[in-house]
Amino acid sequence: RIQPGSLEQEGGRRWRRGVLPGMSGSVHRGALRRLGLWRETWDTEGEAPGERGYSDQSTDPGVLGPSRSQEEAWSQHEASSSAESSGRSRRAELGRSHLPARSRGPMARTALGPVLGCLALLACLHVAWAVNDLTAVTPTNLPHKGSNLGITVIGTNFGKTFSRHDIRLGGTACTASTWVSDTSMVGIVGNRLVTYQETVAVTSVGQVKSLTKAFSYDSPVLLSVAGSNAPATGGQTMTFSGLNFGTHSHTAFKGRIGGTACVSTAWDTVSSIVCKLPAGVHSASGETSAGRAAVLTVGAEKGSNTLRKTLTFSQAFTYDAPVLKASFDASNTYRKGNGPATGGTTITLQGENFGAQGYSSHIAVGGTTAQSVAWTSDTELLVRVSPGIGSNRDLTISVVGRVGTLAAQFDFDPPTLTATVGYNGPATGGSLLTFFGINFGVVDFTSVAKVGVKMCAKTEWTSDSSVGCTLADGVGKDMPAGLSLLSATTTLSGAFSYDRPVVSGMSPTHSPALGTVVTVFGANFGASALGAAGAVVATYGGGACRSTEWKADSQIRCVVAGGLGEKLPFTVSVGAQMGTLTQMFCYDAPVVQNAWAAFPDPLLHKNTPPAGGGGVTVIGRNFGDAAYSNTLRLGGSACETTTWQSDSQMICQTPSGVGLGRGITLSVVNRRATLVNVISYDRPVITSLAPNNGPAMGAIDVTLLGKNFGAAQYTQAIQIGNAEARSVRWVSDSSLLCQLPPNRGVDQQVLVDQMRLSPTLRGTAAAMITYDDPHVFSMVPGNGPQTGGTTVTFLGVSFGAADNQPTAVVGSACDVPAWVSDSTVTCLTRPGFGKPSATIDLAPTGCTKNGGVCRGVGTGLFAFDGPHPVAIAGKLNAPSTGGAVITVTGSLFGQADPGASMTVALGDTACTTQAWVSSSSLTCGVGAGVGTRDVRVLLGGAENKLSAAFSYDSGVFAGLAPLKGAAAGGGVLTLQGVNFGKVKGLEVPSVMIGSTKAAGTWQSDTVVLYTVPPGVKAAAPGLAVTVRQPGATSGNAYPGAFFAYDAVQLTSIKPSVSDTVGGAILTLTGVNFGGTDASPMVFLGSGVECLSTKWVSDASTICTTPPLSEGTYHVAWLSGVTNSKLATLTAELATPTGLAAQLKDALAYIALPPAVLAFDRGEAAEGTTVDIVLEGGTSVSLAAGSFSGTGSVVVLLMAAPASVGDAATAKPASKVVVLRFSGLRIDKTVEMTIPIDLTALAATRRSALAAPTLGRSLAATVA
């Protein structure tokens, strides 16, 4: 038991001394700890320390007991050491829990007391055992796997019992050493990395025994390197990967790249070491073209023992190549660099990987090394450019063998020409022209000089500012000089001129207008065919020769271009220089040889229309080779247009004019040619006059239509007949206006005289105008006494412009006729009566009627007074048989018996006898007649009457029957009575049924038959009947009679079966629908009116059905006459539920597309005849594919599947409609149930508003 003692401190840790029971003085902690009998507690954070010895975990603070085996004890100690290295509070103790079970009882605690006491005393007294030599270590080599790997040391005298020993490898103790036996010990190897064989030493109680080079760790191995390149600035990391790098960091690792050490080298794991890269660039030292070696050195020097091992990974690393990114000029402005060809320009290059210090950098501009390069930083260099030429030169950097390029980044200033010396020279060349300027280069860069477009015969570089040019032969003025240096060219305009040409003469000196060949003489035309060109300087045409042939410096041949003019200069151009000889050349004058109009026939075509616009072709020569300012004149007037055709032909669009033998004048550039008496204008042509008739006194405007009247008002004269027209006015080439002269005549000739020049210029047209016949409009006064002596005035037109001694007749004659004016003639009447004939004869000839006599007729325009009937003496009425004589009294019945010129009549019937008694009395024998009549007296065309002055005995109506009949009319209605007339042809009484008149036929004095007109039955009592006396227009002589048309009777309706969708056409048949359309209406059922109803005849009406519900409907017909009654059909219209039973009617009377019944091909061969029996007994027999039967059913042979959705695969005959069938069923007996949708069948007649509602099934059997 250790008693508490004083507190001591060792290595910063606090601990307490203790004393063993029965022992005086202090016991050193180290001794107890080496014996494994001390447990200590400390805290690096300053906690109060505590301690106690071994215990059995009871409340007894410190009973010591015997230890377990040494191996267990040192294993526990190693665990304590690991806990201490983690920085956390640790406790390492050997307690009761570490002891064998048999030593844990009280007896063991009691027995251990003396033993532990002795052991403690021995430790304090440093008692030593003798240690013999070490003989071997096994194993002699271990991998670097960390702790808990052990070695066994074999030797002698390690003790018979557990004892404390230390095993050390080199100078480092094992993490734990355990005694095994007198000849064997075990050491736990720590975390170390050595590359050599170490000495194994055993220390026991201060004595050491060793075995040299007895143990070693596995050598490290380098397998790969990660991070194979980096920028020149370094600072990045590279990882060495391999084996046996140890389990924790050692200072023995050193990495380097090539010959340069890593900035730092750090252990990472047992298989990786991290190197922080140094700055650097590509270097030949330690590096091939593929990269530098990565070198890892492990260990250090220790005396004569080699502790270091070097691991190498070849071609493992490269520094990034230098990169040029931008250049800056002297003002530090980022832009493409440029400078003079003499060099010396300083530019700043920026980029990266230039190196962390001034390495041997090489800069080239366009392949030429820079004069100097100054390193500023890893990203910047200052470069002084060497002399050079060219643009878009690349900048190339080479840093210790690594190359970077910045393309097209520098331009040497281009060469610039500023002046030349030697401005003029001969065309043969050979003179020297010196170019001055800048940037020609500091050495001869093979520059090329030229003048104009021709290179110098020789180019000789002199300096950066001077180049010489030996001129080649040539021509030209103010020609540019050019200098090319590589791709750069500089030009100086107007730098040089060759001597200009001189013209001294030519032959010939004139030419036709189309040109010719001339020879030109002179000097300086060039030493060779260098493009010398001749030209005629002309306002019209001329110009450059069509071709120029160089003969010598003093002669050329020129094909002169066509043109017009005289005293023209001639020039020779050589290059841009010209030599001229003035008034040297002329073109031949024009010549006119012939001219014709329209076609080239000078004998037949010499005329042109006066209105102008005609074409005259002019033939000659030297009219020019093109359309210049050429003009043609016809007579004294310029052509409207002059068209150049060729050197020998021109066209004149003639001006307006008249005349014969006009000359042609041609003006060509102030030079004229004339051909006389060649063209005449056409004579006038008259086609019509409007109007083509006129009054005898003329004075009306007449328009002459035709052509060739001219384009202006000439001195035209117009003659109509034998008289000259007045006020002739020109309107257009096709129209003249004049005032018709007074005259008479039929189909008078018209003549137009142009300018009165010649009969050949006159236009004549026969039978163009006729003077009007005289016409009498009225006579004033219109009547006069029968005794004559009345002065009457004939009023009219075309009585003549002068007194031609007219003759007048009124009745038998008219005295003292007198012409007053074209519209007035007077005369004095002789005695007469009635409306006599009245005429005036104005001329014996010149008119269209009366055999050419110009006669005005006024018959009927004048009447002698009378007759004037006043009264009837005697009986004022008579029986219809006539026989009476009446006397008509009055006045002005004539001065004598007029004979046949007098007529007395009753109505329209002349008296049977008549007699003139005196001028105031007439007698009349009454003939048979009916009704009331006017008494009329007609005398010589004059008439007067006594209205309703005489009557026959009135008719007496005894009966009218029958008063009913068919609506179609045509029945006979008999009127009975008396006084209907004794003879046939007399007017019969009028009979009207309603507002319609019945046609009557006289039968006898007591019977008249009438035909009943068509009508429509009216409401009771029927239509009123009106009977009137002959000639009466009002009243009713038979009141209270009514006529009834027969009632409507419906007999049938087709079809009697319809669908419910509406739009079906129903035909109603019967009688008495009306002889005329009375706008009937048809109703179905209870007041449902057809959509439309149309009357067809008395026996037929059609209607269009509205949408209906299923069921049966009565049909009613109603006339449009007010208060008509319905006529109801006993038969009915059905929309039946049993549709199949009524299919025959539906198919027979409803306009349907044909239905298609399909059946199995296997049951009937194609082309055979089959019978189809429709449900309800309707049977049709059809040939395959044919149309037949009342129902228009079409049988189609096809292979029918069990269910047919769409029979589109069928091939029916033309115009067959294939319906859509659904649910087609075929069994062995080939019975089919085919749903037929009548909505689809009736689609063509369905109302737009009708909704489809009906669909029914039809069963059919194929026999």
Side-chain angles (χ1 to χ4, degrees):
R1 185 179 303 276
I2 303 175
Q3 300 297 332
S6 60
L7 182 66
E8 295 185 4
Q9 184 168 346
E10 179 183 78
R13 295 178 178 175
R14 294 177 297 171
W15 51 276
R16 293 182 179 273
R17 289 182 179 275
V19 295
L20 294 176
M23 298 180 64
S24 61
S26 298
V27 182
H28 196 277
R29 176 178 61 85
L32 293 178
R33 188 170 61 184
R34 282 192 295 271
L35 292 176
L37 300 177
W38 178 264
R39 192 196 71 176
E40 56 184 352
T41 301
W42 65 85
D43 196 319
T44 60
E45 298 178 358
E47 297 178 358
E51 65 283 326
R52 64 180 180 175
Y54 280 100
S55 71
D56 58 359
Q57 298 181 355
S58 65
T59 57
D60 192 341
V63 178
L64 300 174
S67 174
R68 291 189 302 170
S69 66
Q70 289 182 342
E71 181 177 353
E72 291 177 346
W74 287 112
S75 295
Q76 181 63 30
H77 178 69
E78 179 61 24
S80 297
S81 299
S82 298
E84 180 180 359
S85 66
S86 66
R88 302 173 55 189
S89 299
R90 70 172 187 173
R91 289 181 173 85
E93 61 181 56
L94 294 175
R96 183 183 179 212
S97 60
H98 299 154
L99 299 178
R102 61 180 179 273
S103 62
R104 294 181 181 178
M107 291 298 296
R109 291 199 300 269
T110 304
L112 284 174
V115 176
L116 293 174
C118 293
L119 292 173
L121 180 61
L122 290 174
C124 294
L125 296 177
H126 302 285
V127 179
W129 284 276
V131 180
N132 292 329
D133 291 336
L134 301 179
T135 59
V137 175
T138 182
T140 60
N141 178 271
L142 284 176
H144 299 278
K145 293 182 179 179
S147 60
N148 298 326
L149 295 177
I151 60 173
T152 300
V153 180
I154 299 173
T156 57
N157 298 319
F158 293 160
K160 300 297 186 179
T161 61
F162 170 77
S163 59
R164 175 66 174 177
H165 300 278
D166 286 334
I167 302 175
R168 305 178 73 86
L169 300 178
T172 303
C174 290
T175 57
S177 300
T178 302
W179 174 87
V180 178
S181 66
D182 183 62
T183 60
S184 174
M185 296 180 65
V186 175
I188 303 304
V189 177
N191 295 328
R192 297 186 63 211
L193 176 62
V194 293
T195 58
Y196 55 90
Q197 291 179 318
E198 292 190 296
T199 297
V200 177
V202 175
T203 302
S204 178
V205 193
Q207 296 187 17
V208 178
K209 191 64 175 182
S210 61
L211 186 62
T212 61
K213 298 183 178 180
F215 179 80
S216 67
Y217 286 97
D218 289 345
S219 295
V221 177
L222 182 60
L223 299 177
S224 65
V225 173
S228 60
N229 73 290
T233 54
Q236 296 182 341
T237 61
M238 183 177 69
T239 301
F240 295 91
S241 298
L243 303 173
N244 301 320
F245 292 160
T247 58
H248 61 280
S249 177
H250 293 274
T251 60
F253 294 102
K254 295 294 181 182
R256 69 177 183 271
I257 303 302
T260 305
C262 296
V263 175
S264 64
T265 306
W267 176 88
D268 183 37
T269 66
V270 69
S271 61
S272 64
I273 305 297
V274 177
C275 163
K276 184 175 182 180
L277 294 167
V281 294
H282 186 87
S283 174
S285 175
E287 182 177 7
T288 66
S289 60
R292 294 190 177 200
V295 180
L296 179 65
T297 301
V298 183
E301 292 287 348
K302 188 176 181 181
S304 60
N305 192 11
T306 301
L307 303 180
R308 182 172 60 193
K309 185 171 184 179
T310 299
L311 305 175
T312 301
F313 201 97
S314 300
Q315 302 177 1
F317 180 81
T318 59
Y319 282 101
D320 292 341
V323 177
L324 289 175
K325 294 184 176 180
S327 66
F328 294 81
D329 59 13
S331 63
N332 203 30
T333 300
Y334 169 62
R335 63 184 179 187
K336 185 177 182 181
N338 73 287
T342 54
T345 302
T346 299
I347 59 174
T348 301
L349 299 183
Q350 288 191 348
E352 57 187 31
N353 300 319
F354 296 164
Q357 55 184 321
Y359 295 100
S360 176
S361 299
H362 174 85
I363 298 294
V365 179
T368 303
T369 302
Q371 291 178 350
S372 63
V373 179
W375 177 87
T376 304
S377 67
D378 179 67
T379 60
E380 184 175 275
L381 297 174
L382 295 179
V383 179
R384 185 177 180 86
V385 179
S386 297
I389 59 172
S391 60
N392 294 321
R393 312 298 276 175
D394 296 342
L395 300 179
T396 304
I397 182 172
S398 175
V399 180
V400 195
R402 301 298 293 277
V403 177
T405 300
L406 186 61
Q409 197 60 29
F410 189 84
D411 293 337
F412 286 100
D413 293 340
T416 302
L417 276 176
T418 58
T420 59
V421 174
Y423 178 76
N424 282 79
T428 54
S431 60
L432 178 64
L433 182 65
T434 303
F435 294 3
F436 292 97
I438 57 174
N439 296 316
F440 296 167
V442 297
V443 296
D444 187 0
F445 286 102
T446 315
S447 57
V448 177
K450 65 179 180 179
V451 173
V453 297
K454 199 167 187 179
M455 295 175 58
C456 295
K458 179 180 180 182
T459 303
E460 184 176 0
W461 174 85
T462 305
S463 67
D464 182 66
S465 60
S466 176
V467 170
C469 165
T470 300
L471 290 165
D473 63 291
V475 293
K477 177 184 177 183
D478 296 329
M479 304 173 70
L483 181 66
S484 298
L485 198 59
L486 294 183
S487 60
T489 300
T490 178
T491 303
L492 182 64
S493 60
F496 183 80
S497 293
Y498 287 97
D499 295 337
R500 69 179 182 84
V502 176
V503 180
S504 60
M506 63 186 301
S507 177
T509 59
H510 66 92
S511 167
L514 291 178
T516 189
V517 178
V518 298
T519 301
V520 183
F521 305 98
N524 295 322
F525 295 163
S528 59
L530 295 175
V536 176
V537 181
T539 304
Y540 304 98
C545 295
R546 292 192 179 97
S547 64
T548 303
E549 180 183 2
W550 179 87
K551 291 295 186 178
D553 182 64
S554 59
Q555 181 180 325
I556 60 173
R557 292 187 65 194
C558 172
V559 179
V560 175
L564 299 173
E566 57 185 336
K567 296 181 180 180
L568 302 175
F570 192 91
T571 64
V572 174
S573 299
V574 180
Q577 299 188 92
M578 182 183 298
T580 303
L581 185 61
T582 61
Q583 298 186 355
M584 183 68 184
F585 184 80
C586 70
Y587 288 100
D588 295 339
V591 175
V592 176
Q593 296 172 324
N594 203 348
W596 56 77
F599 298 96
D601 187 344
L603 297 177
L604 299 178
H605 298 277
K606 290 292 186 178
N607 285 67
T608 187
V616 172
T617 302
V618 180
I619 303 299
R621 63 176 182 273
N622 295 324
F623 295 168
D625 66 335
Y628 301 113
S629 297
N630 305 345
T631 60
L632 286 170
R633 300 179 70 85
L634 180 59
S637 301
C639 294
E640 292 181 359
T641 62
T642 299
T643 304
W644 177 90
Q645 296 284 303
S646 67
D647 179 66
S648 60
Q649 181 174 309
M650 298 179 71
I651 302 295
C652 164
Q653 186 176 4
T654 59
S656 61
V658 293
L660 300 173
R662 300 297 187 181
I664 290 289
T665 301
L666 169 64
S667 295
V668 179
V669 191
N670 299 323
R671 303 172 83 180
R672 294 184 179 183
T674 301
L675 184 64
V676 299
N677 194 22
V678 64
I679 294 293
S680 297
Y681 283 98
D682 296 335
R683 67 179 179 84
V685 175
I686 304 169
T687 57
S688 65
L689 269 72
N692 60 1
N693 67 292
M697 69 174 299
I700 66 168
D701 286 340
V702 176
T703 300
L704 279 71
L705 301 177
K707 62 181 179 177
N708 301 329
F709 296 156
Q713 179 75 53
Y714 303 107
T715 54
Q716 294 98 338
I718 299 176
Q719 182 176 316
I720 298 177
N722 56 6
E724 185 171 340
R726 306 168 189 169
S727 304
V728 177
R729 299 188 299 277
W730 174 88
V731 177
S732 68
D733 180 69
S734 59
S735 177
L736 293 176
L737 189 66
C738 71
Q739 194 174 67
L740 184 67
N743 208 345
R744 286 197 183 278
V746 176
D747 295 332
Q748 296 293 289
Q749 173 182 277
V750 178
L751 180 147
V752 175
D753 192 348
Q754 292 280 43
M755 297 185 71
R756 307 178 188 270
L757 293 175
S758 170
T760 59
L761 288 178
R762 291 175 183 172
T764 302
M768 296 301 295
I769 188 168
T770 297
Y771 283 92
D772 296 337
D773 288 355
H775 182 71
V776 179
F777 294 143
S778 65
M779 295 176 69
V780 179
N783 65 293
Q786 293 179 353
T787 58
T790 302
T791 299
V792 295
T793 301
F794 291 81
L795 299 177
V797 294
S798 289
F799 294 169
D803 185 3
N804 290 322
Q805 301 298 316
T807 299
V809 175
V810 177
S812 60
C814 193
D815 298 331
V816 194
W819 175 89
V820 178
S821 68
D822 181 70
S823 60
T824 304
V825 171
T826 64
C827 72
L828 187 65
T829 63
R830 293 181 180 183
F833 59 85
K835 288 185 178 180
S837 62
T839 62
I840 51 174
D841 290 346
L842 299 166
T845 60
C847 289
T848 61
K849 300 175 182 177
N850 304 309
V853 176
C854 295
R855 177 177 295 166
V857 178
T859 301
L861 298 178
F862 180 83
F864 289 101
D865 296 339
H868 291 310
V870 176
I872 298 176
K875 196 173 181 179
L876 297 180
N877 73 296
S880 61
T881 55
V885 176
I886 62 173
T887 299
V888 181
T889 62
S891 63
L892 300 177
F893 293 157
Q895 299 299 313
D897 185 359
S901 297
M902 182 188 71
T903 301
V904 181
L906 300 178
D908 295 330
T909 305
C911 295
T912 56
T913 62
Q914 63 181 27
W916 179 84
V917 178
S918 67
S919 64
S920 59
S921 178
L922 300 172
T923 62
C924 167
V926 178
V930 293
T932 301
R933 294 289 181 260
D934 297 333
V935 177
R936 302 167 58 210
V937 178
L938 295 86
L939 182 61
E943 177 184 354
N944 269 314
K945 68 181 179 177
L946 293 174
S947 298
F950 183 84
S951 65
Y952 289 94
D953 292 340
S954 298
V956 179
F957 306 125
L960 184 65
L963 293 178
K964 64 177 181 178
V972 176
L973 182 64
T974 302
L975 177 65
Q976 293 179 333
V978 293
N979 295 326
F980 295 159
K982 295 297 185 179
V983 295
K984 186 177 181 181
L986 297 177
E987 185 179 353
V988 298
S990 64
V991 175
M992 297 184 67
I993 299 176
S995 59
T996 306
K997 185 176 181 179
T1001 304
W1002 178 88
Q1003 298 294 315
S1004 68
D1005 184 59
T1006 60
V1007 175
V1008 178
L1009 299 181
Y1010 295 87
T1011 301
V1012 177
V1016 180
K1017 183 177 180 57
L1023 298 174
V1025 178
T1026 302
V1027 181
R1028 292 177 181 149
Q1029 294 290 347
T1033 58
S1034 63
N1036 187 356
Y1038 198 79
F1042 295 91
F1043 188 89
Y1045 284 104
D1046 294 342
V1048 175
Q1049 293 182 10
L1050 296 177
T1051 58
S1052 67
I1053 180 173
K1054 294 182 180 180
S1056 60
V1057 178
S1058 181
D1059 55 37
T1060 60
V1061 298
I1065 305 298
L1066 302 182
T1067 301
L1068 284 72
T1069 57
V1071 293
N1072 297 319
F1073 290 163
T1076 58
D1077 186 2
S1079 302
M1081 294 173 285
V1082 175
F1083 297 91
L1084 305 177
S1086 301
V1088 180
E1089 185 179 357
C1090 285
L1091 297 177
S1092 64
T1093 302
K1094 181 181 179 181
W1095 176 87
V1096 178
S1097 67
D1098 180 67
S1100 176
T1101 299
I1102 60 175
C1103 85
T1104 303
T1105 62
L1108 299 170
S1109 301
E1110 293 183 357
T1112 302
Y1113 295 84
H1114 293 287
V1115 180
W1117 188 97
L1118 178 64
S1119 170
V1121 177
T1122 305
N1123 297 326
S1124 296
K1125 291 185 178 181
L1126 288 172
T1128 304
L1129 180 66
T1130 55
E1132 299 171 338
L1133 172 69
T1135 54
T1137 54
L1139 182 63
Q1142 311 256 356
L1143 178 65
K1144 178 177 180 180
D1145 288 338
L1147 293 178
Y1149 300 112
I1150 299 178
L1152 300 178
V1156 177
L1157 302 180
F1159 58 92
D1160 191 355
R1161 183 187 300 275
E1163 298 295 328
E1166 187 169 351
T1168 61
T1169 299
V1170 296
D1171 290 331
I1172 297 179
V1173 180
L1174 304 178
E1175 183 179 306
T1178 302
S1179 177
V1180 291
S1181 179
L1182 309 171
S1186 67
F1187 291 91
S1188 181
T1190 352
S1192 297
V1193 178
V1194 175
V1195 177
L1196 177 69
L1197 291 176
M1198 57 176 284
S1203 175
V1204 178
D1206 187 345
T1209 57
K1211 297 179 179 178
S1214 176
K1215 298 183 180 179
V1216 173
V1217 176
V1218 180
L1219 302 179
R1220 293 179 178 271
F1221 298 133
S1222 59
L1224 177 64
R1225 177 173 57 81
I1226 301 178
D1227 56 22
K1228 294 181 180 179
T1229 60
V1230 202
E1231 292 183 356
M1232 296 180 292
T1233 298
I1234 305 175
I1236 296 181
D1237 186 355
L1238 285 187
T1239 297
L1241 292 176
T1244 57
R1245 56 179 177 77
R1246 182 187 310 150
S1247 169
L1249 300 177
T1253 58
L1254 181 63
R1256 288 290 178 260
S1257 296
L1258 169 66
T1261 301
V1262 178

